[in-house]
Amino acid sequence: MADHYSSNSEAGWLARLREGDESAFTAIYRQYWSSMYAVTYNHVRDRATAEELVQDLFANLWIKRADLSIHTSLRGYLFTAIRNQIYDYLDKQTVRQRVHSQLYHTKQEAVYNTEELVSFNELSNNLSMAVERLPATARKVFFLSRYQFLSTREIAQRLNLSPKTVEYHLSQALRLLRGQLKDYILLLVCMVCN
Protein backbone atom coordinates (compact mmCIF):
# COMPACT_ATOMS: atom_id res chain seq x y z
CA MET A 1 0.00 0.00 0.00
CA ALA A 2 2.88 2.38 0.80
CA ASP A 3 4.34 1.88 -2.70
CA HIS A 4 0.92 2.52 -4.30
CA TYR A 5 0.41 5.53 -2.05
CA SER A 6 3.87 7.01 -2.75
CA SER A 7 3.83 6.41 -6.51
CA ASN A 8 0.42 8.12 -6.84
CA SER A 9 1.34 10.93 -4.48
CA GLU A 10 5.01 11.66 -5.27
CA ALA A 11 4.41 13.71 -8.43
CA GLY A 12 1.85 15.88 -6.66
CA TRP A 13 4.00 16.27 -3.58
CA LEU A 14 7.02 17.29 -5.66
CA ALA A 15 5.06 19.85 -7.67
CA ARG A 16 3.63 21.38 -4.51
CA LEU A 17 7.00 21.17 -2.69
CA ARG A 18 8.70 23.13 -5.49
CA GLU A 19 6.10 25.86 -4.95
CA GLY A 20 6.88 26.00 -1.22
CA ASP A 21 3.83 24.10 0.05
CA GLU A 22 4.63 23.10 3.63
CA SER A 23 1.87 20.48 3.76
CA ALA A 24 3.53 18.64 0.85
CA PHE A 25 6.84 18.76 2.71
CA THR A 26 5.15 17.43 5.87
CA ALA A 27 3.56 14.59 3.88
CA ILE A 28 6.96 13.63 2.38
CA TYR A 29 8.58 13.87 5.81
CA ARG A 30 5.98 11.60 7.42
CA GLN A 31 6.07 9.11 4.57
CA TYR A 32 9.84 8.65 4.42
CA TRP A 33 11.34 9.69 7.75
CA SER A 34 11.26 6.25 9.41
CA SER A 35 12.75 4.40 6.43
CA MET A 36 15.50 7.02 6.07
CA TYR A 37 16.21 6.74 9.80
CA ALA A 38 16.36 2.92 9.68
CA VAL A 39 18.86 2.93 6.81
CA THR A 40 20.99 5.58 8.49
CA TYR A 41 20.96 3.92 11.91
CA ASN A 42 22.01 0.59 10.36
CA HIS A 43 25.16 2.29 9.08
CA VAL A 44 26.14 4.70 11.87
CA ARG A 45 24.81 2.75 14.88
CA ASP A 46 24.18 5.91 16.87
CA ARG A 47 20.66 7.32 17.40
CA ALA A 48 21.63 10.97 17.73
CA THR A 49 23.85 10.85 14.65
CA ALA A 50 21.20 8.99 12.62
CA GLU A 51 18.54 11.55 13.62
CA GLU A 52 20.86 14.43 12.77
CA LEU A 53 21.70 13.03 9.33
CA VAL A 54 18.02 12.43 8.51
CA GLN A 55 17.09 15.91 9.74
CA ASP A 56 19.84 17.34 7.49
CA LEU A 57 18.44 15.33 4.57
CA PHE A 58 14.97 16.82 4.97
CA ALA A 59 16.30 20.29 5.74
CA ASN A 60 18.26 20.19 2.46
CA LEU A 61 15.18 18.93 0.64
CA TRP A 62 13.24 21.97 1.84
CA ILE A 63 16.09 24.43 1.19
CA LYS A 64 16.69 23.14 -2.36
CA ARG A 65 13.00 22.54 -3.15
CA ALA A 66 12.82 25.07 -6.00
CA ASP A 67 15.86 23.59 -7.76
CA LEU A 68 15.11 19.90 -7.28
CA SER A 69 15.90 17.82 -10.33
CA ILE A 70 14.64 14.32 -9.61
CA HIS A 71 14.95 11.87 -12.51
CA THR A 72 13.94 8.79 -10.54
CA SER A 73 11.26 8.47 -7.90
CA LEU A 74 11.24 10.71 -4.84
CA ARG A 75 11.89 7.61 -2.75
CA GLY A 76 14.93 6.72 -4.91
CA TYR A 77 16.18 10.30 -4.70
CA LEU A 78 15.92 10.31 -0.89
CA PHE A 79 17.65 6.94 -0.55
CA THR A 80 20.52 8.12 -2.79
CA ALA A 81 20.78 11.40 -0.88
CA ILE A 82 20.85 9.74 2.55
CA ARG A 83 23.36 7.14 1.32
CA ASN A 84 25.66 9.97 0.21
CA GLN A 85 25.26 11.72 3.55
CA ILE A 86 26.06 8.49 5.40
CA TYR A 87 29.19 7.94 3.29
CA ASP A 88 30.30 11.53 3.82
CA TYR A 89 29.78 11.16 7.56
CA LEU A 90 31.68 7.85 7.72
CA ASP A 91 34.53 9.30 5.61
CA LYS A 92 34.79 12.27 7.97
CA GLN A 93 34.80 9.93 10.96
CA THR A 94 37.63 7.91 9.40
CA VAL A 95 39.62 11.08 8.74
CA ARG A 96 38.97 12.31 12.30
CA GLN A 97 40.18 9.01 13.75
CA ARG A 98 43.27 9.06 11.55
CA VAL A 99 44.07 12.67 12.50
CA HIS A 100 43.49 11.90 16.17
CA SER A 101 45.79 8.90 15.94
CA GLN A 102 48.45 10.94 14.13
CA LEU A 103 48.21 13.74 16.70
CA TYR A 104 48.60 11.21 19.51
CA HIS A 105 51.68 9.67 17.87
CA THR A 106 53.08 13.11 17.00
CA LYS A 107 52.67 14.12 20.65
CA GLN A 108 54.51 10.98 21.74
CA GLU A 109 57.24 11.63 19.18
CA ALA A 110 57.48 15.26 20.32
CA VAL A 111 58.13 14.10 23.89
CA TYR A 112 60.75 11.66 22.64
CA ASN A 113 62.24 14.28 20.29
CA THR A 114 62.46 16.77 23.16
CA GLU A 115 64.36 14.23 25.24
CA GLU A 116 66.61 13.51 22.26
CA LEU A 117 67.21 17.22 21.69
CA VAL A 118 68.17 17.78 25.33
CA SER A 119 70.52 14.79 25.21
CA PHE A 120 71.96 15.92 21.88
CA ASN A 121 72.55 19.47 23.16
CA GLU A 122 74.19 18.13 26.29
CA LEU A 123 76.36 15.78 24.23
CA SER A 124 77.26 18.59 21.83
CA ASN A 125 78.35 20.87 24.69
CA ASN A 126 80.40 18.12 26.30
CA LEU A 127 81.96 17.23 22.95
CA SER A 128 83.02 20.84 22.42
CA MET A 129 84.61 20.96 25.88
CA ALA A 130 86.33 17.59 25.32
CA VAL A 131 87.71 18.76 21.95
CA GLU A 132 89.11 21.88 23.64
CA ARG A 133 91.00 19.65 26.12
CA LEU A 134 92.74 17.68 23.32
CA PRO A 135 96.43 18.29 22.64
CA ALA A 136 96.84 21.14 20.11
CA THR A 137 97.80 19.05 17.06
CA ALA A 138 95.18 16.38 17.77
CA ARG A 139 92.57 19.12 18.19
CA LYS A 140 93.50 20.72 14.81
CA VAL A 141 93.47 17.35 13.02
CA PHE A 142 90.11 16.40 14.57
CA PHE A 143 88.58 19.76 13.64
CA LEU A 144 89.77 19.59 10.02
CA SER A 145 88.64 15.97 9.69
CA ARG A 146 85.25 16.08 11.40
CA TYR A 147 84.10 19.68 10.94
CA GLN A 148 85.69 20.65 7.62
CA PHE A 149 85.54 17.12 6.17
CA LEU A 150 89.08 17.17 4.81
CA SER A 151 90.82 13.94 3.85
CA THR A 152 93.98 12.70 5.58
CA ARG A 153 96.08 13.86 2.64
CA GLU A 154 94.47 17.36 2.65
CA ILE A 155 95.05 17.71 6.40
CA ALA A 156 98.65 16.58 5.98
CA GLN A 157 99.24 19.22 3.31
CA ARG A 158 97.54 21.98 5.30
CA LEU A 159 99.40 21.26 8.57
CA ASN A 160 102.67 20.25 6.87
CA LEU A 161 102.57 16.76 8.41
CA SER A 162 102.91 13.29 6.98
CA PRO A 163 99.68 11.34 6.38
CA LYS A 164 100.80 8.76 8.98
CA THR A 165 101.18 11.55 11.58
CA VAL A 166 97.70 12.86 10.74
CA GLU A 167 96.26 9.34 11.20
CA TYR A 168 98.08 9.02 14.55
CA HIS A 169 96.71 12.36 15.85
CA LEU A 170 93.21 11.58 14.60
CA SER A 171 93.14 8.15 16.25
CA GLN A 172 94.56 9.71 19.46
CA ALA A 173 91.82 12.40 19.40
CA LEU A 174 89.08 9.80 18.86
CA ARG A 175 90.43 7.56 21.63
CA LEU A 176 90.56 10.47 24.10
CA LEU A 177 87.08 11.68 23.12
CA ARG A 178 85.58 8.20 23.44
CA GLY A 179 87.01 7.95 26.92
CA GLN A 180 85.66 11.35 27.98
CA LEU A 181 82.23 10.85 26.38
CA LYS A 182 81.65 7.15 27.12
CA ASP A 183 78.60 7.85 29.32
CA TYR A 184 76.92 9.84 26.54
CA ILE A 185 77.77 7.24 23.93
CA LEU A 186 76.11 4.57 26.08
CA LEU A 187 73.07 6.83 26.53
CA LEU A 188 72.79 7.36 22.77
CA VAL A 189 73.12 3.63 22.08
CA CYS A 190 70.32 2.96 24.60
CA MET A 191 68.12 5.62 22.98
CA VAL A 192 68.67 4.16 19.53
CA CYS A 193 67.95 0.61 20.76
CA ASN A 194 64.65 1.69 22.38
Side-chain angles (χ1 to χ4, degrees):
M1 179 171 163
D3 287 341
H4 174 74
Y5 175 73
S6 63
S7 63
N8 289 338
S9 306
E10 279 187 355
W13 286 341
L14 279 172
R16 290 174 28 221
L17 178 67
R18 286 187 182 105
E19 295 169 3
D21 186 336
E22 290 181 22
S23 64
F25 175 77
T26 302
I28 294 168
Y29 184 88
R30 287 182 179 155
Q31 178 68 22
Y32 294 110
W33 189 91
S34 60
S35 55
M36 296 298 114
Y37 175 80
V39 167
T40 306
Y41 182 79
N42 282 338
H43 284 85
V44 300
R45 296 291 180 193
D46 179 72
R47 286 182 164 211
T49 302
E51 287 176 7
E52 185 179 335
L53 290 172
V54 173
Q55 291 300 89
D56 287 347
L57 169 72
F58 284 105
N60 286 331
L61 182 68
W62 177 255
I63 291 166
K64 297 176 182 176
R65 66 189 178 276
D67 301 320
L68 283 177
S69 178
I70 298 175
H71 303 292
T72 61
S73 66
L74 175 60
R75 177 184 167 89
Y77 171 83
L78 291 173
F79 272 107
T80 299
I82 198 64
R83 185 190 68 215
N84 291 337
Q85 281 188 239
I86 292 166
Y87 291 159
D88 286 347
Y89 170 79
L90 294 174
D91 286 346
K92 287 176 186 169
Q93 287 301 104
T94 302
V95 169
R96 278 190 194 112
Q97 289 171 350
R98 191 169 36 239
V99 167
H100 177 48
S101 176
Q102 287 172 345
L103 287 174
Y104 174 78
H105 286 89
T106 301
K107 182 180 175 187
Q108 295 302 315
E109 288 173 11
V111 169
Y112 182 71
N113 287 341
T114 302
E115 290 172 359
E116 273 186 338
L117 185 60
V118 168
S119 295
F120 177 78
N121 287 338
E122 193 174 326
L123 175 61
S124 183
N125 290 337
N126 284 314
L127 176 61
S128 295
M129 290 189 301
V131 168
E132 288 301 315
R133 289 193 295 264
L134 290 173
T137 307
R139 182 172 59 243
K140 287 178 191 170
V141 168
F142 180 82
F143 181 80
L144 293 171
S145 172
R146 296 307 194 250
Y147 293 108
Q148 294 193 359
F149 309 105
L150 298 180
S151 68
T152 302
R153 192 165 25 125
E154 291 169 325
I155 296 169
Q157 289 172 349
R158 187 173 287 192
L159 297 180
N160 201 20
L161 298 171
S162 72
K164 287 284 185 195
T165 305
V166 169
E167 288 173 6
Y168 166 78
H169 285 295
L170 186 56
S171 64
Q172 180 189 29
L174 293 173
R175 183 177 47 80
L176 291 169
L177 291 173
R178 270 196 298 270
Q180 292 179 41
L181 301 172
K182 67 179 181 266
D183 294 337
Y184 293 98
I185 292 169
L186 285 172
L187 177 65
L188 285 175
V189 168
C190 289
M191 287 176 74
V192 169
C193 291
N194 291 336

